[in-house]
Amino acid sequence: MSGLIKPKEYDWKDSNLALFGSETETTVKKDSAKTEPAWKNAGKAVGLQIWRIVKFKVTAWPKEDYGKFYDGDSYIVLNTYKVEGEAQLQYDVHFWIGKYSTQDEYGTAAYKTVELDTLLDDVPIQHREVQGHESDLFRSYFKTIELLKGGADSGFKQVKPTEYRPRLLHFHGDKFGVKVKEIPRNPSNLDNTDVYILDLGLRLIQWNGSGSNKDERFKAQKYMQGIVEERSGKPKAEVLDEGSQDQEFTSYLTEQNEEEHDFTAADRTVELFRLSDATGSLSFTLEKSGVIKKSDFDTKDVFILDTKSEVFVWIGKETSESEKKKALVYAHSYLQKTDHPLVPVSCLAEGRKVKSFEAAIAA
């Protein structure tokens, strides 16, 4: 009998998306989008909509859980908005990939994001987001982003209280924003300048570090109250200041720490790549390094701009169907071979204004 196999961290980043964007996939995409139940009200009104990928299917994510993301899951986030002076609705559609999301979930999230883009007549700007490496735009949608372990099916609502897996939540920040992140229940992770909540299911313990600030303590207390309300008032909530009954609190901190990997680019030189089929077959070549200007982009091709903290897939107005279909595949394949495979990726059509893209290139 084999033992439990621990999920591999960022396993999906080495997945093969070769069939993504193929002729077969493109032929059925529009029809599939029209019959996808999850897209029934997608993009019909201004606001945020979130779906979770469950066994290859798109399922609506409860509004009360917006901002909560489990590291074993993948999600699609659609932001619908209006630009002053324009009648047409505008969209940003993101697929968010958890640290332990599977290759199948990653592929489904990518496919369904393009499907939604097709349904909305290619108006949206597409974005790939990876846990812990989210873009500023993605983070701007939420007052707080909560990164939780496991999948949504492991949450308190889905299991018996006696089977609930304890978790340790870390609150860190200031008046400009407090981040909430689930971390391993290991005593070495306690920092006395921050606040923590030990969630035991029917018992909640808030631990205030002696150097924590009022914003962290207030955010944690509000969060704890929210958990109690969410669980119909059943949990007992208590607050401990550092030095008060620490021994009992730390007795629950029995998990091993996870190995951390650095996915930051060592070489920060900006690079521009061209994807072109002008010769009769697709070629992917380095076009330029260093300072990139608007004049370096050609309307007939696809360009991949790597700033080393973000990647932009720029699709020219006269780009061929072959180039357009394979743009995201090539961006994914390119990032697989780099030391920074988890950076945000945005696909934008020529003429679309994206602040972070405009900031990355010279006039």
Side-chain angles (χ1 to χ4, degrees):
M1 184 174 178
S2 59
L4 291 175
I5 299 175
K6 185 178 178 182
K8 188 177 178 183
E9 187 180 41
Y10 300 118
D11 184 42
W12 54 265
K13 72 180 174 61
D14 298 321
S15 61
N16 182 5
L17 292 186
L19 294 178
F20 185 79
S22 67
E23 290 291 344
T24 303
E25 176 264 337
T26 304
T27 302
V28 301
K29 192 163 51 184
K30 187 78 173 186
D31 290 337
S32 174
K34 289 178 180 177
T35 58
E36 170 58 69
W39 304 150
K40 182 179 179 181
N41 296 311
K44 297 289 180 65
V46 170
L48 203 64
Q49 293 170 282
I50 302 179
W51 300 268
R52 172 181 164 236
I53 303 300
V54 182
K55 296 178 181 177
F56 299 99
K57 293 184 178 180
V58 183
T59 60
W61 190 237
K63 287 190 179 295
E64 62 266 25
D65 289 334
Y66 279 18
K68 289 182 181 179
F69 297 94
Y70 286 85
D71 66 8
D73 291 334
S74 295
Y75 302 79
I76 293 175
V77 177
L78 175 67
N79 184 43
T80 304
Y81 62 97
K82 275 189 174 180
V83 175
E84 189 175 349
E86 295 184 14
Q88 185 181 26
L89 290 172
Q90 301 294 327
Y91 314 94
D92 281 286
V93 57
H94 308 247
F95 61 102
W96 184 94
I97 311 299
K99 180 185 289 190
Y100 295 108
S101 182
T102 66
Q103 294 184 12
D104 287 341
E105 287 172 330
Y106 172 68
T108 302
Y111 174 89
K112 286 293 184 179
T113 296
V114 176
E115 179 185 87
L116 179 56
D117 174 82
T118 302
L119 182 68
L120 297 174
D121 298 319
D122 298 324
V123 175
I125 296 173
Q126 300 170 46
H127 309 268
R128 186 201 75 172
E129 309 283 350
V130 177
Q131 178 185 340
H133 301 264
E134 295 85 357
S135 65
D136 290 340
L137 177 64
F138 185 85
R139 289 196 296 267
S140 73
Y141 300 147
F142 310 98
K143 289 183 179 178
T144 302
I145 290 181
E146 302 167 34
L147 300 177
L148 306 174
K149 289 183 175 295
D153 294 335
S154 66
F156 185 86
K157 299 175 188 176
Q158 307 298 326
V159 299
K160 297 176 183 178
T162 54
E163 299 173 355
Y164 182 72
R165 180 186 62 79
R167 57 185 187 153
L168 183 65
L169 301 172
H170 178 205
F171 293 75
H172 173 76
D174 52 30
K175 63 182 180 181
F176 298 108
V178 176
K179 293 182 180 180
V180 184
K181 181 181 180 182
E182 184 177 352
I183 60 174
R185 289 180 291 109
N186 187 292
S188 66
N189 291 333
L190 291 184
D191 182 337
N192 66 2
T193 64
D194 291 330
V195 175
Y196 301 81
I197 288 179
L198 180 63
D199 178 1
L200 301 172
L202 293 176
R203 185 184 180 193
L204 304 168
I205 306 173
Q206 176 177 331
W207 186 88
N208 297 329
S210 58
S212 61
N213 61 52
K214 61 181 179 59
D215 300 291
E216 292 163 338
R217 294 192 293 270
F218 178 75
K219 177 66 179 179
Q221 192 165 8
K222 292 287 288 184
Y223 187 95
M224 192 160 62
Q225 290 172 358
I227 295 178
V228 172
E229 292 173 7
E230 186 180 89
R231 299 176 188 173
S232 305
K234 294 178 182 178
K236 176 187 176 183
E238 52 195 293
V239 178
L240 298 178
D241 289 322
E242 184 181 358
S244 173
Q245 299 178 355
D246 284 356
Q247 189 171 357
E248 184 195 9
F249 180 82
T250 56
S251 69
Y252 293 100
L253 309 185
T254 56
E255 284 186 328
Q256 294 293 319
N257 270 327
E258 298 175 346
E259 183 181 354
E260 294 292 332
H261 299 281
D262 183 13
F263 291 105
T264 304
D267 182 355
R268 307 296 293 180
T269 305
V270 177
E271 295 178 305
L272 181 67
F273 298 85
R274 182 193 291 260
L275 177 63
S276 176
D277 60 4
T279 61
S281 60
L282 277 172
S283 63
F284 183 71
T285 56
L286 177 63
E287 185 77 5
K288 190 179 180 184
S289 299
V291 178
I292 308 300
K293 301 179 180 179
K294 287 184 178 180
S295 58
D296 294 323
F297 295 82
D298 182 349
T299 190
K300 294 180 180 180
D301 289 323
V302 166
F303 288 83
I304 294 176
L305 176 66
D306 184 4
T307 70
K308 303 304 169 71
S309 59
E310 194 165 358
V311 164
F312 299 94
V313 180
W314 185 91
I315 301 173
K317 291 180 179 178
E318 298 177 33
T319 298
S320 71
E321 282 302 309
S322 175
E323 293 166 348
K324 191 181 297 183
K325 290 171 192 171
K326 292 295 184 181
L328 185 59
V329 178
Y330 271 82
H332 173 79
S333 298
Y334 160 72
L335 282 171
Q336 279 183 316
K337 302 176 180 70
T338 71
D339 60 355
H340 54 287
L342 310 181
V343 298
V345 178
S346 297
C347 296
L348 62 149
E350 179 182 359
R352 292 300 301 271
K353 297 291 184 183
V354 176
K355 287 182 179 179
S356 51
F357 176 76
E358 298 292 324
I361 59 176

